[in-house]
Amino acid sequence: MKTINRVTIVGGCGHVGLPLGIVLAANAGLQVDLLDIDPVKIDLVNSGAMPFMERGADERLREVVGKSLKATLDPTCINAADAVITVVGTPVDRHLNPTVNEVYHSIDALLDHMRDGTLLVLRSTVYPGVTKLVHDRLRRLNRKVLLAFCPERIAEGNAIEELVKLPQIVSAFESDAMAAAKQLFGKIAPTLIELTPPEAELAKLFTNAWRYANFAISNQFYMLAESRGLDFYRIHDAVTRDYPRMRSFARAGFAAGPCLLKDTLQLAAFSQNNFFLGHAAMLINEGLPMFLVEQLRPNDLANKRVAILGMAFKAESDDKRDSLSFKLKKLLEVEALEVLCTDPYLRESYFVSLEAAIRKADIVIIGAPHNVYRDVEIPEGKIVVDPWNFLPAKALASTSV
Ligand SMILES: NC(=O)c1ccc[n+]([C@@H]2O[C@H](COP(=O)([O-])OP(=O)(O)OC[C@H]3O[C@@H](n4cnc5c(N)ncnc54)[C@H](O)[C@@H]3O)[C@@H](O)[C@H]2O)c1
């Protein structure tokens, strides 16, 4: 089997590609080319700066950039690669359907530069069956590329730590491709779990759909309790305290971002829209902003200023993709006197400072529970909405809804 020394990551400056490239260069000593189509991100990476927040990544990037790692727009870097890993985005389209064509056809552009015998790893989260489609296409084109599907399972923001801690699922149709994939990921992952590609595709989608449904349970129970004037978190605390069987009972809050909903919808499409649990989870999680607005309506919302603290899709993140804080903003803009948005990690021309948001607002809603809000002091008399139960009791001296 050929030794893997040089890797190209396609989509290499993205949230999955870049941390993986850094770890392959820094931990496994590989030569890594990050191929991307975004010149701004490429320049940032080559100057040693991360284009987005990722814990522990800045120092590691600076260790390897310009030495064993570089970002490039030039696809000819693929010519020299022993392995090509593709992690381009796989969003659902505006009809909420998976976009299979883009991944499928993007492979052709890579093949122009790939030598036979090279490992091709699909790492994007794909619609079930895509690996087989690519495999069949390689056969038809009579290309002897070694195809594997090895899904990424890190939580964005924790990739540098998790890539070397989490077991890696590896899958391939042929034993030589499986061996090559094991050689590559064996350099960083503590354990390798072998599956067939159809199993691995479902394994990834099950992981995200399970998390999404789990958050939906909590959000449904939150809405159920709060709509009857009951404090969800008193009940949550009672049922989870010293009771191991409820350990996975998540807190309520916005379940959003670029993956969980999208991957639940991929599974829904795969089940020919018979994935009732997934659709229900979508209605519940996507419905939470509406619920919060409904709860606030008796407070003369039309004459109130509302501040949303945290516009990113989750805590300690600068990723706003599919953030429900923006959905909440949109709903409030037609209901409230004014909507004030603030976030320590995101820049938008209309954002205001945390201080201004709290000073001006009559109602304060926690959109993303960033750590900086822990010490926030909200003056008495303001209404606070904290579906996460994140704020310490002192901040809630004001009225809590
Ligand atoms: N973000 C996560 O936490 C996460 C976790 C696990 C899996 N995934 C999956 O990984 C995949 C990538 O997600 P992401 O969050 O990294 O997306 P991203 O948008 O952050 O990164 C994708 C990168 O690909 C680049 N790109 C797009 N088309 C390209 C092309 N033709 N050639 C070269 N580069 C191209 C983009 O410029 C971007 O830098 C998706 O399938 C996603 O579902 C994401």
Side-chain angles (χ1 to χ4, degrees), residues 28-264:
L30 296 180
Q31 207 62 39
V32 177
D33 295 311
L34 305 169
L35 177 63
D36 210 289
I37 52 169
D38 185 334
V40 176
K41 282 196 232 164
I42 287 174
D43 286 349
L44 271 173
V45 171
N46 284 333
S47 72
M50 288 292 293
F52 47 82
M53 286 168 71
E54 184 61 52
R55 205 161 302 118
D58 295 76
E59 312 85 75
R60 305 306 304 276
L61 171 62
R62 284 193 292 274
E63 281 169 28
V64 290
V65 74
K67 298 172 194 151
S68 51
L69 177 137
K70 75 165 193 310
T72 180
L73 280 169
D74 181 4
T76 59
C77 64
I78 294 173
N79 298 335
D82 306 308
V84 176
I85 305 172
T86 169
V87 285
V88 296
T90 48
V92 287
D93 65 16
R94 63 197 173 86
H95 305 288
L96 303 183
N97 292 323
T99 49
V100 173
N101 286 353
E102 283 167 27
V103 183
Y104 184 56
H105 290 299
S106 70
I107 305 296
D108 282 0
L110 308 181
L111 287 178
D112 291 344
H113 299 282
M114 279 181 85
R115 289 170 288 131
D116 279 356
T118 307
L119 172 67
L120 172 61
V121 178
L122 307 184
R123 194 159 178 78
S124 307
T125 307
V126 297
Y127 181 73
V130 163
T131 313
K132 176 82 166 57
L133 280 176
V134 174
H135 180 259
D136 292 351
R137 183 159 179 78
L138 291 173
R139 282 245 166 120
R140 271 202 307 281
L141 297 171
N142 198 26
R143 292 301 308 265
K144 306 277 182 297
V145 163
L146 308 177
L147 178 69
F149 172 67
C150 306
E152 180 60 85
R153 294 196 298 160
I154 51 95
E156 203 178 292
N158 299 325
I160 298 291
E161 189 189 334
E162 290 189 352
L163 277 165
V164 293
K165 274 201 184 149
L166 296 180
Q168 174 63 50
I169 292 174
V170 286
S171 74
F173 290 107
E174 276 111 21
S175 57
D176 50 356
M178 181 66 104
K182 285 168 70 177
Q183 185 199 145
L184 176 61
F185 286 102
K187 292 176 191 291
I188 53 169
T191 340
L192 302 175
I193 301 171
E194 293 184 43
L195 289 177
T196 65
E199 289 169 340
E201 289 169 341
L202 282 187
K204 173 61 195 176
L205 294 180
F206 284 177
T207 306
N208 278 3
W210 184 88
R211 289 193 75 216
Y212 194 62
N214 204 37
F215 291 137
I217 293 172
S218 298
N219 284 333
Q220 175 94 81
F221 289 174
Y222 172 84
M223 293 189 254
L224 220 148
E226 299 284 328
S227 64
R228 298 301 171 104
L230 297 170
D231 183 341
F232 170 73
Y233 283 102
R234 278 175 57 82
I235 306 167
H236 187 281
D237 173 60
V239 299
T240 52
R241 202 189 309 168
D242 301 328
Y243 197 74
R245 277 187 291 285
M246 291 297 280
R247 211 175 276 144
S248 64
F249 186 18
R251 285 162 176 254
F254 290 162
C259 289
L260 297 188
L261 169 60
K262 179 259 291 182
D263 292 342
T264 302

Side-chain angles (χ1 to χ4, degrees), residues 341 346-352:
C341 300
L346 291 174
R347 298 274 164 276
E348 295 291 343
S349 56
Y350 58 86
F351 280 14
V352 299

Side-chain angles (χ1 to χ4, degrees), residues 373-376 386 389-397:
Y373 303 144
R374 274 211 197 279
D375 299 325
V376 83
D386 177 15
N389 199 33
F390 170 77
L391 294 176
K394 72 174 169 54
L396 293 172

